[in-house]
């Protein structure tokens, strides 16, 4: 009898722990948990001073609010050869799509570098390589290295050294509103879905 | 070995698994994290349990007939720390890391206190369940083309998966070999009772 009660208690504690780590038996990976959390809570991102190509430092939140457009944000480092270049082409196609459909007054793109080695010049060269149109697609790095960690944490970005001089990170497309809330995370390859939902959001906001 | 020696052995194993620089090194790779640190902590827990005086063992046994509660705990703990998000959280959050160390030590202790009382049938059931669960997780780790843990690289995940599958084959095989050596598997029912280790009387 005592063993049965002990087993029942262990089961209960186990269920509670499994439920906690899996967000109520809905996810098994941190990435899925991050996306679920963003959809349900739309967390506010902390402010950070950004530097872009040839411009003075500016506040991310201030810029989002002033600009007023929905921003699709990704995190990159310019030396990246693998997944960020996929993100790069993905954002290139998004830029084309935005210009073709004339949506540049509603949606824009921001690529933020998490690599301290990326300065204004490097970013400008990278932007050139990507044929970025400054009115649609901006590149920036975080001015104050102290502010990088909280920003990455708020977005849920985990950067791991890949052992051969580069980084591996959970690359995705993040939808951020002018109010500084992160409302959606889409996979690479789902740029069109990200764009469509950003437009829907812009529509709702403009009503 | 004397209880004192077991306690020292446990302390040494915990130190190897959790000393700051070693811990960082072990946890930097998914395969080392799961296939080296976890077993170290489980063995440490078992060593600590071996150092317990018989009065404490008796008190535990009262709640652990046939080792059922202890083995259930072991199964749940080992399943939990195979969840990718749990691994990620252990890397990012210190309280989760502490919980991981504590539960793995406790699982090792529970295993030590439960194995003999469990007897052949419960032992086989436990190992069988653990093995298929571990094998399925190991195959999944190798099969998915995306990273399951944000904190680990894809190739580490594949190695960890291979290691889990290997363990899921080696441990049950070792158990069968051990039983065969003891002559428990000769097919005579009376031998099964004979082969039951002493100490299975705790209810």
């Amino acid at each position: 009898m005592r063993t049965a009660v002990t087993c029942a208690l262990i089961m209960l504690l186990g269920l509670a722990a499994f439920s906690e780590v899996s967000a109520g038996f809905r996810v098994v990976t941190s990435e899925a948990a991050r996306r679920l959390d963003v959809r349900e809570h739309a967390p506010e991102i902390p402010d950070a001073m950004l530097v872009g190509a040839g411009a003075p430092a500016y506040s991310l939140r201030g810029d989002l609010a002033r600009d007023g457009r929905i921003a699709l944000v990704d995190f990159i480092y310019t030396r990246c050869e693998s997944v960020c270049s996929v993100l790069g082409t993905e954002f290139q196609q998004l830029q084309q799509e935005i210009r073709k459909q004339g949506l540049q007054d509603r949606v824009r793109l921001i690529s933020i570098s998490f690599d301290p080695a990326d300065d204004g010049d490097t970013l400008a060269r990278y932007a050139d390589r990507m044929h970025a149109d400054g009115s649609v697609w901006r590149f920036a790095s975080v001015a104050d290295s102290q502010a990088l960690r909280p920003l990455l944490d708020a977005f849920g970005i985990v950067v791991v050294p890949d052992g051969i001089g580069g980084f591996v990170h959970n690359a995705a497309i993040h939808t951020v509103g002018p109010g500084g809330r992160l409302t959606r995370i889409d996979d690479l390859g789902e740029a069109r879905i990200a764009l469509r939902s950003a437009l829907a959001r812009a529509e709702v906001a403009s009503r | 070995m004397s209880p004192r020696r077991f306690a020292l052995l446990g302390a040494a194993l915990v130190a190897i698994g959790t000393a700051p620089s070693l811990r960082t090194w072990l946890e930097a790779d998914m395969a080392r994290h799961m296939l080296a640190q976890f077993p170290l902590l489980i063995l440490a827990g078992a060593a600590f349990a071996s150092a317990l005086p018989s009065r404490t063992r008796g008190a535990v046994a009262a709640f652990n007939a046939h080792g059922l509660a202890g083995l259930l705990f072991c199964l749940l703990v080992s399943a939990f720390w195979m969840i990718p998000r749990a691994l990620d959280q252990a890397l990012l959050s210190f309280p989760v890391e502490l919980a991981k160390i504590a539960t793995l030590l406790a699982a090792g202790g529970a295993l030590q206190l439960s194995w003999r009382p469990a007897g052949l049938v419960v032992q086989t059931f436990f190992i069988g369940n653990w093995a298929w669960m571990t094998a399925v997780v190991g195959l999944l780790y190798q099969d998915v083309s995306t990273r399951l843990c944000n904190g680990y690289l894809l190739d580490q995940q594949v190695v960890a998966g291979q290691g889990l599958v290997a363990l899921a084959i080696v441990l049950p095989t070792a158990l069968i070999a051990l039983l065969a050596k003891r002559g428990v598997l000769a097919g005579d029912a009376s031998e099964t009772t004979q082969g039951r280790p002493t100490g299975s009387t705790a209810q």
Side-chain angles (χ1 to χ4, degrees):
Chain A
M1 185 59 202
R2 277 192 283 192
T3 298
V5 173
T6 314
C7 285
L9 271 176
I10 291 171
M11 263 328 267
L12 272 178
L13 286 174
L15 275 176
F18 277 87
S19 169
E20 174 66 31
V21 80
S22 65
F25 300 99
R26 289 184 292 175
V27 300
V28 289
T29 64
S30 315
E31 191 56 20
R34 160 173 102 107
R35 295 177 186 201
L36 189 70
D37 179 58
V38 162
R39 282 205 185 198
E40 288 182 349
H41 300 115
E44 219 169 287
I45 55 165
D47 199 12
M49 293 306 284
L50 300 184
V51 276
Y58 59 94
S59 136
L60 171 62
R61 292 286 300 267
D63 184 55
L64 286 168
R66 208 168 28 249
D67 189 277
R69 288 179 288 180
I70 303 253
L72 298 179
V73 179
D74 70 347
F75 287 85
I76 57 155
Y77 68 107
T78 59
R79 289 179 293 136
C80 182
E81 306 273 312
S82 57
V83 71
C84 324
S85 31
V86 177
L87 260 175
T89 31
E90 192 96 5
F91 265 42
Q92 261 178 333
Q93 284 165 7
L94 267 178
Q95 175 178 265
Q96 263 174 26
E97 198 77 24
I98 290 170
R99 288 208 293 197
K100 203 169 75 189
Q101 299 184 30
L103 305 169
Q104 49 268 58
D105 55 336
R106 281 187 280 171
V107 186
R108 65 172 175 147
L109 307 172
I110 304 176
S111 291
I112 300 176
S113 165
F114 53 76
D115 186 354
D118 284 337
D119 56 13
D121 290 345
T122 333
L123 287 172
R125 274 201 301 278
Y126 189 74
D128 261 358
R129 211 159 77 214
M130 293 286 153
H131 308 290
D133 167 358
S135 63
V136 180
W137 188 3
R138 289 245 289 234
F139 291 80
S141 60
V142 179
D144 176 11
S145 58
Q146 298 273 313
L148 179 60
R149 184 80 262 161
L151 187 67
L152 291 180
D153 283 349
F155 275 93
I157 304 291
V158 179
V159 180
V160 194
D162 67 0
I164 46 170
F167 303 104
V168 169
H169 65 109
N170 45 337
I173 303 167
H174 308 81
T175 308
V176 183
R181 282 187 184 280
L182 174 58
T183 53
R184 205 185 145 93
I185 300 176
D186 286 286
D187 253 327
L188 295 184
E190 287 175 354
R192 277 159 196 278
I193 300 175
L195 180 59
R196 212 177 308 143
S197 66
L199 286 174
R201 191 165 286 280
E203 208 112 294
V204 172
S206 68
R207 254 182 229 155
Chain B
M1 255 188 356
S2 69
R4 218 183 115 80
R5 288 223 167 146
F6 268 120
L8 281 174
L9 174 67
L13 290 170
V14 171
I16 296 171
T18 61
S21 53
L22 278 169
R23 183 169 72 94
T24 312
W25 180 77
L26 285 168
E27 293 179 358
D29 184 298
M30 186 171 177
R32 282 199 296 266
H33 192 177
M34 298 187 78
L35 301 170
Q37 195 198 43
F38 286 12
L40 274 172
L41 292 171
I42 290 170
L43 285 175
F48 283 133
S50 301
L52 289 176
S54 53
R55 259 183 54 194
T56 321
R57 299 178 74 89
V60 172
F63 295 89
N64 192 23
H66 306 291
L68 281 176
L71 294 180
L72 173 66
F73 180 73
C74 290
L75 270 183
L76 288 177
V77 168
S78 87
F80 185 85
W81 295 113
M82 289 194 242
I83 298 176
R85 183 165 188 230
L87 287 173
D88 267 337
Q89 301 259 295
L91 295 180
L92 295 175
S93 144
F94 192 63
V96 176
E97 173 71 2
L98 279 183
K100 184 195 83 186
I101 294 169
T103 51
L104 286 172
L105 283 172
L111 189 62
Q112 205 281 334
L113 293 170
S114 308
W115 187 252
R116 273 160 189 259
L120 190 59
V121 175
V122 177
Q123 283 171 0
T124 317
F125 180 78
F126 166 77
I127 280 285
N129 260 301
W130 179 86
W132 81 254
M133 169 181 82
T134 305
V136 167
V137 171
L139 290 173
L140 272 176
Y141 280 8
Q142 296 174 66
D143 195 49
V144 292
S145 54
T146 50
R147 292 185 310 135
L148 290 169
C149 290
N150 283 341
Y152 289 118
L153 306 177
L154 192 58
D155 50 346
Q156 299 173 348
Q157 176 178 314
V158 172
V159 175
Q162 289 165 342
L164 289 180
V165 173
L167 270 184
I169 296 168
V170 167
L171 287 188
T173 313
L175 176 68
I176 292 170
L178 187 76
L179 294 176
K181 202 174 149 207
R182 279 203 216 139
V184 186
L185 302 179
D188 185 346
S190 65
E191 283 185 87
T192 315
T193 21
Q194 230 178 43
R196 248 170 94 145
T198 51
S200 59
T201 44
Q203 292 295 316

